Amino acid sequence: MTTSEGGSERAETLVRALGVLGGQAFASLGLDPSLGEFRRSDRPDLADFQCNGAMTAARAAKRSPRDIAGEVVEILRRDPMVADAEIAGPGFINVRVSSAALSHRARRIFEDPRAGAESVSRSRRVVIDFGGPNVAKPLHVGHLRSTIIGDSLQRLFRFMGDDVTSDVHLGDWGLQMGLLITEVEDERPDLPYFDAAFSGPFPSDSPVSMDDLERLYPQASARSKADGSRRDRARRATAELQAGRAGYRALWRHFVETTQTGLEREFRALGVSFDLWKGESDADPLIPEIVADLKARGLAELDDGAWIIPVARDTDKKAVPPFMLVNSEGASGYHATDLGTVLDRKRTLDPELSLYVVDQRQALHFEQVFRASAAAGYAAESALEHIGFGTMNGPDGKPFKTREGGVLKLHDLIEQAKAAARARLIEAGLAEGVSSEEREAIATRVAIAAIKFADLSNVRTTNYIFDLDRFTSFEGRTGPYLLYQCVRMKSLARRASEEGAAPGSIIVELPAERDLVLALDSFADALSAAYERRMPHILCEHAYALAQAFSGFYAAAPVLAETDEARRRSRLALTLATLRQLELVLGLIGVEAPERM
Ligand code: ARG
């Protein structure tokens, strides 16, 4: 697989080298060389790689596919890279690569600090908009998934060589602000923020804590639902805030800063960071200019007192309502702030690609925003991508809530996972001989690995069920299993250096060694597939396949106990190459293995 836009620094993988050979073989028969492409075999018991080109060639050349395959096989067999080539079924070409080719490739991966990965040849400026928490409103599972998936993508895109700017895009500008302002006013009318005549200076310390915000918002929201006039007050306060009323702005700053401090702590616990902590409010100053511009260019239309941009297309399969620039009350909302943000980013970052990692349920919103941005000329539509995802559900099949039925708190979630991880460590007899601090640190890493791997290993667009018990198991397709394999490699590497054993030239002999090298070799393709499709589960699959191949190797081939020196050194090198690659992939999904456990 190639990477797009300017191609990539292509790794010399076995599958690609075979493709070149295959291409030459087809060309020498007067056929299209692209028919010679290979892929990993569906039947690893029969072959390493397979090529289906003879079937396609047969149709064009009006010959039997087996005849063509036979001739290609003859040519392939002459190459030292090929141990065995044969025709299977109606004309598939099956190849086993030679030990020499595997050994050569393994040595290259061992020497490569990127463990066989490739990178893009031209770095792009990429914005990743993820996290998307809201001021005062608690985080929910949608934010958690956005954070985990977005962080993996930011790590992957950076690793591939792009110039990534991540932005948390705080929801800091909606009605919830007016709700909070008026709620604080009702509780503390004495504070200076509510005196319209007073213009400051306002106190520099926040009158509200994170706990206050968490209490005040649900309270305000419930009251406004029950009472229309309460809601109208909140609406007016929101409008006045947006219009710049000094006391409201000062109070709002406190809300934003208090929330941000709390969020930074939660995200840090997850090992996630953002380059920018911008928010919807940062787009607000651009909106009057945008409105004037779009009116002047005839792009915005007046509709029942509102300014809209029609974005429906004849080809639409379902209705796409107009983009709402200014509503009939003269206010701008979620559409407008996203459009303003596109323009802000164009001016400040000039991204070539923007990824919006947001719940699938906002697909229509982004469709409208992207079309409006393209119409306005702020971004090419192809440069804006909604990276949607499904929900994380509880055992009842509904979006996951905490045990109390409340909203998710990242901190509580991590604590729950840590408790499960501690129990699992005891059950597995792990992390026994270490200090209690170290055991705690190990439990934390196991917990984070469990949560992230469980989330990322699903195809991101599907829903999945939160099941801590399964996620924290050291067996099966889990984060803890991967950590465990990684720690085994680390302790082997540590023992080797204690014993003064050094890695040497890799010579692939055993079937389990072949399997391991084939797994190592597929890293480049897994990376480019994950990168192209913005699909972290492909990284998870690779990590799991690699760990399993290592497990097979470790069971079949003694490393330090091997008495033949060359063999011992070869196997040690293979272990170190695998360790490096596994740590790299785990790093791309935001997971870090402890030194021991
Ligand atoms: N704050 C929004 C929410 O909670 C998510 C923001 C997503 N990003 C964006 N540019 N709209 O739903």
Side-chain angles (χ1 to χ4, degrees):
M1 172 153 332
T2 54
T3 49
S4 65
E5 278 101 340
S8 54
E9 295 304 325
R10 309 229 328 150
E12 307 156 43
T13 63
L14 291 167
V15 70
R16 289 174 192 164
L18 262 184
V20 172
L21 273 186
Q24 286 162 354
F26 276 89
S28 75
L29 301 175
L31 297 164
D32 181 354
S34 74
L35 296 167
E37 234 170 76
F38 275 83
R39 57 186 174 83
R40 285 292 288 275
S41 169
D42 303 331
R43 292 285 307 272
D45 52 325
L46 298 180
D48 301 329
F49 299 100
Q50 70 185 61
C51 166
N52 303 345
M55 328 283 281
T56 318
R59 252 168 275 139
K62 301 203 168 59
R63 292 182 52 193
S64 115
R66 279 189 70 93
D67 275 0
I68 297 175
E71 288 175 26
V72 172
V73 158
E74 279 315 309
I75 301 172
L76 291 176
R77 279 186 181 148
R78 283 182 227 139
D79 196 277
M81 195 187 161
V82 175
D84 194 16
E86 49 186 40
I87 315 168
F92 299 112
I93 299 164
N94 275 348
V95 165
R96 269 214 190 284
V97 287
S98 65
S99 294
L102 286 165
S103 303
H104 174 76
R105 178 73 186 129
R107 285 176 215 143
R108 297 298 295 265
I109 294 173
F110 171 71
E111 287 153 12
D112 180 3
R114 289 169 61 86
E118 57 197 358
S119 50
V120 292
S121 59
R122 197 184 68 78
S123 162
R124 287 176 296 172
R125 290 180 303 280
V126 178
V127 165
I128 309 187
D129 177 315
F130 72 98
N134 301 309
V135 166
K137 285 200 220 167
L139 288 176
H140 56 67
V141 287
H143 299 123
L144 175 74
R145 292 213 68 194
S146 171
T147 302
I148 293 176
I149 297 168
D151 182 50
S152 178
L153 293 177
Q154 91 168 317
R155 289 164 184 267
L156 173 62
F157 274 65
R158 275 199 186 115
F159 182 69
M160 293 300 279
D162 285 322
D163 176 9
V164 176
T165 306
S166 55
D167 182 3
V168 75
H169 199 72
L170 210 55
D172 60 359
W173 210 230
L175 180 66
Q176 82 262 29
M177 296 300 121
L179 280 166
L180 270 181
I181 291 171
T182 44
E183 197 66 19
V184 174
E185 181 175 21
D186 286 350
E187 277 200 0
R188 304 276 310 275
D190 54 301
L191 292 172
Y193 306 97
F194 311 108
D195 178 356
F198 184 63
S199 62
F202 294 94
S204 57
D205 283 343
S206 175
V208 289
S209 66
M210 197 60 212
D211 286 344
D212 293 328
L213 290 179
E214 278 172 14
R215 177 178 55 83
L216 290 167
Y217 177 71
Q219 189 174 302
S221 155
R223 285 179 60 199
S224 92
K225 269 190 202 116
D227 172 3
S229 68
R230 174 73 189 78
R231 190 174 179 82
D232 288 342
R233 248 181 86 211
R235 235 191 231 125
R236 272 195 307 278
T238 309
E240 284 181 76
L241 165 75
Q242 298 188 349
R245 180 165 158 173
Y248 286 3
R249 287 280 175 136
L251 185 55
W252 167 80
R253 265 277 127 229
H254 289 308
F255 297 158
V256 174
E257 277 162 15
T258 305
T259 303
Q260 184 170 335
T261 308
L263 285 169
E264 273 170 345
R265 202 182 44 227
E266 303 239 310
F267 288 142
R268 202 172 322 117
L270 259 191
V272 175
S273 62
F274 296 89
D275 299 312
L276 298 177
W277 277 80
K278 285 199 154 191
E280 293 171 359
S281 63
D282 290 294
D284 190 67
L286 285 92
I287 291 176
E289 168 194 343
I290 292 175
V291 172
D293 174 40
L294 297 186
K295 281 183 190 171
R297 287 197 280 146
L299 290 166
E301 292 174 9
L302 198 54
D303 180 69
D304 237 353
W307 287 94
I308 60 159
I309 305 173
V311 289
R313 288 176 184 162
D314 295 344
T315 47
D316 288 338
K317 297 215 172 57
K318 53 182 189 316
V320 179
F323 175 94
M324 181 65 64
L325 190 58
V326 183
N327 71 17
S328 52
E329 288 168 17
S332 304
Y334 194 37
H335 271 166
T337 53
D338 261 323
L339 182 64
T341 304
V342 172
L343 181 60
D344 182 36
R345 288 179 182 154
K346 178 182 162 66
R347 287 183 181 163
T348 54
L349 302 164
D350 193 21
E352 296 164 86
L353 176 68
S354 299
L355 305 181
Y356 292 79
V357 187
V358 188
D359 197 318
Q360 196 63 49
R361 285 173 294 189
Q362 295 194 24
L364 179 61
H365 167 80
F366 286 109
E367 189 61 53
Q368 294 166 300
V369 170
F370 296 170
R371 289 183 186 186
S373 304
Y378 299 160
E381 213 174 310
S382 60
L384 303 172
E385 278 181 42
H386 175 214
I387 309 298
F389 50 81
T391 45
M392 175 173 114
N393 292 327
D396 58 355
K398 301 211 179 85
F400 178 83
K401 304 229 153 133
T402 57
R403 217 168 318 154
E404 301 73 40
V407 276
L408 168 96
K409 279 209 194 156
L410 229 43
H411 178 78
D412 297 343
L413 182 79
I414 295 173
E415 283 309 314
Q416 267 184 47
K418 263 161 86 172
R422 275 187 219 108
R424 290 293 193 166
L425 285 168
I426 293 171
E427 188 185 289
L430 294 169
E432 277 174 338
V434 302
S435 69
S436 58
E437 288 88 40
E438 189 175 344
R439 193 162 47 238
E440 214 25 45
I442 293 171
T444 305
R445 290 204 179 176
V446 171
I448 301 283
I451 295 173
K452 287 190 179 174
F453 187 84
D455 193 288
L456 294 172
S457 58
N458 295 289
V459 177
R460 67 172 153 74
T461 44
T462 60
N463 303 339
Y464 72 98
I465 290 183
F466 185 77
D467 179 354
L468 254 193
D469 226 38
R470 191 164 64 76
F471 299 170
T472 53
S473 169
F474 279 97
E475 274 153 40
R477 216 174 259 274
T478 67
Y481 167 78
L482 293 176
L483 290 194
Y484 177 68
Q485 292 300 338
C486 196
V487 167
R488 276 169 97 187
M489 292 177 218
K490 284 188 178 193
S491 50
L492 207 157
R494 202 167 39 237
R495 261 183 291 135
S497 81
E498 279 159 18
E499 290 174 19
S505 184
I506 298 174
I507 308 147
V508 173
E509 297 170 321
L510 304 172
E513 291 176 321
R514 297 180 57 93
D515 291 346
L516 181 55
V517 176
L518 288 170
L520 286 165
D521 181 55
S522 65
F523 183 36
D525 276 346
L527 273 175
S528 52
Y531 175 74
E532 290 285 300
R533 296 171 55 200
R534 295 74 161 112
M535 288 286 195
H537 78 273
I538 299 171
L539 300 173
C540 295
E541 272 167 14
H542 180 73
Y544 183 69
L546 186 65
Q548 280 216 306
F550 176 77
S551 187
F553 159 81
Y554 199 58
V559 181
L560 297 179
E562 171 59 48
T563 48
D564 180 87
E565 159 123 25
R567 238 179 226 149
R568 184 172 67 240
R569 291 163 69 101
S570 161
R571 289 176 186 168
L572 180 56
L574 211 40
T575 303
L576 297 178
T578 308
L579 172 58
R580 176 183 277 154
Q581 195 181 87
L582 184 57
E583 284 196 284
L584 278 176
V585 200
L586 291 179
L588 297 178
I589 59 171
V591 165
E592 215 180 328
E595 280 317 298
R596 50 183 182 174
M597 67 184 190

